Every structure is written in structure tokens, then in C-alpha cells.
Amino acid sequence: MNKENHQVLLEIKDLHKEYDTRTVLDGIHLRVHKGEVIVVLGPSGCGKSTLLRCLNGLESIQGGDIQFDGESLIGPNVDWQKTRQKIGMVFQNYELFPHMTVIENILLGPIKVQKREKKEVMDQATQLLEKVGLSDRKDSYPRQLSGGQKQRIAIVRALCMNPEIMLFDEVTAALDPEMVREVLDVILGLAKQGMTMMIVTHEMGFAQAVADRILFIDEGKVCEMSEPKEFFTNPKTERAQQFLNIFQF
Amino acid sequence: MDINWQFIISTLPLYQKAAWITIKLGFWGTLLSLIIGLVCSIILYFRIKILKELVGIYVELSRNTPLLIQLFFLYFGLTKIGITMSETTCAIIGLAFLGGSYMSEAFRSGIEAVSKTQIESGLSIGLSQMQLIRYVILPQAFAVTMPSLAANCIFLFKETSIVGAIAIAELMHVTQDVIGMYYQTFESLFMLVVAYLIIILPLSFLLTWLERKVRYAEFGN
Ligand SMILES: Nc1ncnc2c1ncn2[C@@H]1O[C@H](COP(=O)(O)OP(=O)(O)OP(=O)(O)O)[C@@H](O)[C@H]1O
Ligand SMILES: [Mg+2]
């Protein structure tokens, strides 16, 4: 489905990111429309994680502009506490708070940051937990859960803030193969509901299934940007062809 | 060996009174130490200019001078420049001055053990710096550092035995007095040991229980 006539939610213009003197992101341009799913692909170290981290202020940037909902995220006056509520992030290693139960993990943001009613948040959390099949694990501690369960909880925790976009950084990379599916299914479900997402993954089948567009990055530059079918069957650049060959036996 | 029970019974009230003083000193000394340590470690975490340097100097000074010297300085030294305070206040401040640096180091190592990714995880749900400290960093730091904090508490309760040097009738001081007056050395020391055990054993159990409780979520039993 073409979502390019939807409203632009996130716009990245000529983004430059350097660590010390090394350029890691070198003039990235991207427009993400509401409801769109962008899958970011590229060889290890090309800057995929850095790109996502720049979007919610975990990294400072050295040039260019990021606009979210029409507001610039550059400069000292950005209200990150407010912005981050709208940008959900899920990490490779779950990063649930180990000293809190599942439900405490989920409620922390909505109650302490968004100051919402406990009862209302609780209802939402219960619904979301049911959706990911974990409503019976409310009172467990993260250490008592499997990797796949932890990652599904992490997704629920982010969703419970009612974000406008979700960022996923290799969220199945740390999982045993049999748990990958349960997490990917949750993300596929979100895509069906129209959630705007940027997903970094090494699961090519999943990328093809979930993406509206594939963003292929190499050495900090956008190398290719195309629809998944196009990208996987007929990659334009040599770098993309090489990259895809790695996944073929 | 015959023990003079008569003597023990007759000096019991003295010891009882002294024990309460020891508990009082230990309690306030420890409590203030915890507060000082917490404040210092938060200053270090935020790397607040100037204050950070002051904390560094304080920690070095406090850890590298004997408590006795610190007390004499407070009690006799400060009188010279016109600041006088009661022996008890002086002793509590002395203990807190010493304990604060130990607690600060314990908190600091606990805070440093909290991973950068946990902090990012907290930030990504929109927590402010203060909320991050309160809901993510400190609880995790506590769980890690609870054994050191507990050891410091016990250490401070034992250090009360030194503050008798500035004329406070805590257990050590009273024992020395009693020995000086009646020459019942064995009985007096026996009472002293028992008194400390009565104070410190329950404290130790309490701390062990607390440690388990604080660590349960993250580490199980
Ligand atoms: N904190 C940092 N300091 C210095 N260099 C860094 C830092 N973080 C990342 N880099 C460098 O920036 C480049 C991009 O890193 P990034 O983590 O974004 O890559 P990636 O595309 O996510 O790779 P992977 O697929 O392995 O996760 C890498 O060359 C990395 O070495
Ligand atoms: Mg990465």
C-alpha cells in the first residue's frame, strides 16, 4: 500500500553524525509518513543504530535537521521528555528494569511521566499484555522471563505510552531462533494496525513482509531506498547486491 | 575461675545507660552518614562543578585521617575559634564526617554499576534526570551496594567506641571508668562484649534481612 500521500511524521534532512572525527552518518535524508513501516538494512557498523538513537536524542548530531511532527529536534531547547513520550524505542537487549515487576515496568512511564490515571493505564496495559499473550506474567520479575517474553514486554512498555512512532533496533538479535517468531508476530500485528515504525533487523524474510520501504545504508550514506519487492529482487546498487548475497546460501 | 556476679548486677544500670548512648550515637551517626553519602554520590554522578571537587577533597580527608583526630579537631580545635558544641553533637558529627565518605564510596560504586543502556532505557520513556535517579539508578545501585552499606553501618556502630575519648559515657568510656574504680577488669570487659553483641547482632540480622529484600527483585535469593 502506498502511504506517501499520508502526512509526514518524521523528516530527516542531511543528517551528519560524527564520533570524534569519524563520520558515521553522512547526509541522511528520509521522510517517514504516518503509518509507514521503514526497514533499515545495511552491513554491520554502517550506522543503523546510530540513526535510530539520533531520533530520540540519545546521540547528539553534528549537522542537518530532524523534524518530528513539524518541530525540529535540533538545538538546546528541545523538550526531550515530551518528545520521547511520542517516540517508543525497543532495544536489542530488552532493557527492562530488573528491579521492577512486569507491570511496574509498564506503568512507570505512563504514571510518572505522563501523569495518567493508574486505573486507565492498568486497563490499557492489561489489554496489551493480553494481545502479546503475557497477561499471566504481570507480577513476574524480568529475570523470571525468557528472552522472547522480555522483548514482548519491552514492546508493551513502549506501546503503553501511546507513541506516534516506534523504533526497533535489532530486537530479535539476542533471541534464540524459536523465540524470534513470537516477537516478529507482535511487530507484524502493529504494522497491520497502522503503527508508524522504523525497524533495524537482520531478518530478511520479515523485512520483506513488514516493510513499506527499505532504507539501505552503507558507510553512513543512504545507498538505496525502494519498495521491498524491488529491493530484494532487483537491487540497484552493487553494495546492496553484495549485502543480499550474504543472506543467500 | 569465679565471676563476681554481685558486681555485674550492681553495674548493670551503668552499662544499660551507656548502651543507650552507644545506640543513639550509632543511629544518628549512621543516618547522617547515609544522607551525606547519598548527596555526595549524586553530586559525583551529575559531575557538578566545584561541588564535585569539594566532595573529592572531603572523601580523601575523611578516609585518610583517624576518627580520633577528627573528633579532637572538632571538639578542641573548633572551641579555639569560638565554635562550641556539646560532646554528643560533636561525636555524632565526627561519626557522620567519617561515615559519610565511606557511604559515598559505596553509593558511587553502586551507581557506577548501573549500565548505560539502563539509563538510556529510562530516558527513552521520557523520565527526567531526577526521575531517572529515583526510579532507575538508585534502586539498582542499592541492590548492588547493600552489602557495603551494611558493613559500613556495623563499622560505624563499632566506631562509637572511640568517641568516649571526648568524655561521652558510651560503653567503652564507662567500661574504662569502671575498671579504673573497681579493678574488676574481667567482669567489666565481659559486660562490654555482651553489650556490643546485644546491640550489633540484631542490627546485623536486620541488615541481612534488608539486603535480601532489596536484592530479591533483581537477583532472586
Ligand atoms: N559511542 C561510540 N563512540 C565511537 N564510535 C562509535 C560509537 N558508537 C558507534 N560507533 C561507531 O559508529 C559506527 C556505526 O555504529 P552503529 O552502532 O550505528 O552501527 P550499526 O549499523 O548499528 O551496526 P550493527 O549492525 O553491528 O549493529 C560504527 O563504526 C561504530 O564503531
Ligand atoms: Mg546496531
Side-chain angles (χ1 to χ4, degrees):
Chain A
M1 188 177 77
N2 190 356
K3 293 164 184 162
E4 308 216 354
N5 52 358
H6 288 196
Q7 186 193 337
V8 175
L9 182 61
L10 176 72
E11 179 157 20
I12 302 168
K13 291 184 206 159
D14 199 25
L15 179 62
H16 282 262
K17 164 75 193 170
E18 285 155 21
Y19 284 116
D20 303 319
T21 54
R22 259 195 54 216
T23 301
V24 174
L25 295 176
D26 190 6
I28 302 276
H29 285 273
L30 176 69
R31 245 188 219 150
V32 184
H33 302 80
K34 266 214 169 101
E36 219 179 358
V37 178
I38 309 278
V39 168
V40 185
L41 300 179
S44 180
C46 71
K48 305 179 294 292
S49 301
T50 308
L51 175 62
L52 292 199
R53 293 162 55 79
C54 287
L55 300 180
N56 73 347
L58 294 178
E59 300 286 349
S60 64
I61 71 169
Q62 278 66 50
D65 193 16
I66 301 171
Q67 298 219 336
F68 182 72
D69 254 352
E71 279 177 48
S72 174
L73 300 186
I74 306 305
N77 297 326
V78 180
D79 185 350
W80 279 112
Q81 269 147 262
K82 201 174 121 222
T83 308
R84 283 175 180 142
Q85 295 172 38
K86 301 187 212 160
I87 303 180
M89 177 123 182
V90 185
F91 300 85
Q92 180 172 336
N93 291 309
Y94 336 117
E95 300 306 336
L96 293 175
F97 304 123
H99 58 291
M100 294 180 180
T101 60
V102 164
I103 194 71
E104 286 167 347
N105 262 281
I106 299 171
L107 298 191
L108 183 66
I111 289 180
K112 299 298 175 189
V113 178
Q114 299 181 318
K115 315 271 182 224
R116 284 156 60 192
E117 284 288 331
K118 176 155 183 197
K119 194 186 163 302
E120 175 247 332
V121 185
M122 198 73 179
D123 289 345
Q124 187 184 2
T126 310
Q127 269 181 21
L128 288 169
L129 282 171
E130 242 156 58
K131 257 192 205 149
V132 302
L134 289 171
S135 44
D136 55 335
R137 304 315 297 267
K138 263 197 190 100
D139 299 311
S140 302
Y141 285 103
R143 66 178 160 82
Q144 298 164 324
L145 303 175
S146 74
Q149 291 172 329
K150 276 189 261 207
Q151 199 57 294
R152 282 181 280 157
I153 298 295
I155 294 173
V156 168
R157 180 175 70 175
L159 286 177
C160 214
M161 307 277 295
N162 297 320
E164 291 176 28
I165 185 171
M166 289 280 285
L167 311 176
F168 293 89
D169 190 2
E170 298 199 38
V171 296
T172 57
L175 297 179
D176 292 336
E178 70 266 28
M179 293 174 186
V180 169
R181 185 70 205 218
E182 64 193 39
V183 173
L184 295 185
D185 279 340
V186 172
I187 302 176
L188 270 173
L190 288 175
K192 286 212 187 81
Q193 288 165 39
M195 174 62 79
T196 316
M197 298 190 272
M198 277 183 73
I199 303 173
V200 175
T201 182
H202 283 135
E203 302 284 336
M204 292 304 138
F206 169 68
Q208 192 159 6
V210 79
D212 292 306
R213 280 188 294 159
I214 302 279
L215 175 71
F216 178 73
I217 301 182
D218 190 35
E219 291 178 346
K221 290 191 177 76
V222 177
C223 209
E224 205 157 321
M225 165 71 106
S226 44
E227 304 213 340
K229 216 168 165 189
E230 170 88 6
F231 180 81
F232 284 102
T233 54
N234 194 12
K236 287 191 280 291
T237 58
E238 203 179 318
R239 289 297 295 135
Q241 284 160 18
Q242 282 170 359
F243 174 76
L244 286 173
N245 280 339
I246 301 170
F247 294 90
Q248 244 128 49
F249 287 100
Chain B
M1 179 175 185
D2 49 356
I3 292 173
N4 187 345
W5 290 105
Q6 190 56 45
F7 172 78
I8 287 182
I9 290 165
S10 68
T11 50
L12 205 55
L14 264 180
Y15 275 93
Q16 208 173 9
K17 213 172 141 209
W20 278 116
I21 293 177
T22 292
I23 290 172
K24 190 170 125 187
L25 294 173
F27 174 79
W28 287 109
T30 305
L31 188 68
L32 286 177
S33 297
L34 283 168
I35 295 170
I36 293 172
L38 196 58
V39 170
C40 287
S41 62
I42 289 175
I43 287 173
L44 292 178
Y45 172 77
F46 283 119
R47 301 201 185 88
I48 304 171
K49 277 192 213 103
I50 303 170
L51 286 181
K52 182 187 76 178
E53 273 77 35
L54 288 178
V55 169
I57 293 169
Y58 157 64
V59 169
E60 288 308 313
L61 204 64
S62 143
R63 279 163 62 101
N64 295 313
T65 51
L67 176 60
L68 199 55
I69 310 292
Q70 294 170 8
L71 284 172
F72 282 160
F73 176 79
L74 280 170
Y75 191 57
F76 301 112
L78 291 184
T79 331
K80 273 243 186 299
I81 56 168
I83 302 171
T84 44
M85 43 191 152
S86 75
E87 291 84 4
T88 310
T89 313
C90 184
I92 290 173
I93 292 178
L95 280 171
F97 183 82
L98 176 78
S101 64
Y102 280 81
M103 296 297 189
S104 169
E105 290 294 283
F107 279 123
R108 188 178 62 93
S109 67
I111 288 175
E112 277 170 7
V114 178
S115 71
K116 189 168 157 263
T117 47
Q118 276 288 303
I119 292 172
E120 289 176 348
S121 170
L123 289 175
S124 76
I125 56 168
L127 294 178
S128 67
Q129 283 295 339
M130 268 317 173
Q131 289 173 324
L132 194 63
I133 289 264
R134 175 156 167 218
Y135 298 114
V136 179
I137 298 176
L138 282 184
Q140 291 186 30
F142 255 114
V144 170
T145 204
M146 195 55 209
S148 319
L149 293 178
N152 288 347
C153 288
I154 304 241
F155 164 73
L156 283 173
F157 268 80
K158 291 195 286 198
E159 279 309 82
T160 56
S161 61
I162 292 185
V163 305
I166 54 169
I168 296 181
E170 49 68 55
L171 283 167
M172 193 70 195
H173 188 98
V174 164
T175 305
Q176 282 165 343
D177 276 0
V178 169
I179 293 174
M181 279 190 283
Y182 307 108
Y183 302 107
Q184 300 281 358
T185 310
F186 177 77
E187 283 79 359
S188 306
L189 289 178
F190 174 73
M191 300 274 279
L192 179 66
V193 169
V194 170
Y196 273 122
L197 286 180
I198 288 175
I199 294 171
I200 290 180
L201 278 183
L203 178 67
S204 176
F205 287 136
L206 177 74
L207 289 168
T208 309
W209 174 80
L210 211 61
E211 192 179 316
R212 278 197 153 193
K213 213 170 139 63
V214 171
R215 290 172 68 88
Y216 174 76
E218 240 174 288
F219 304 100
N221 297 307

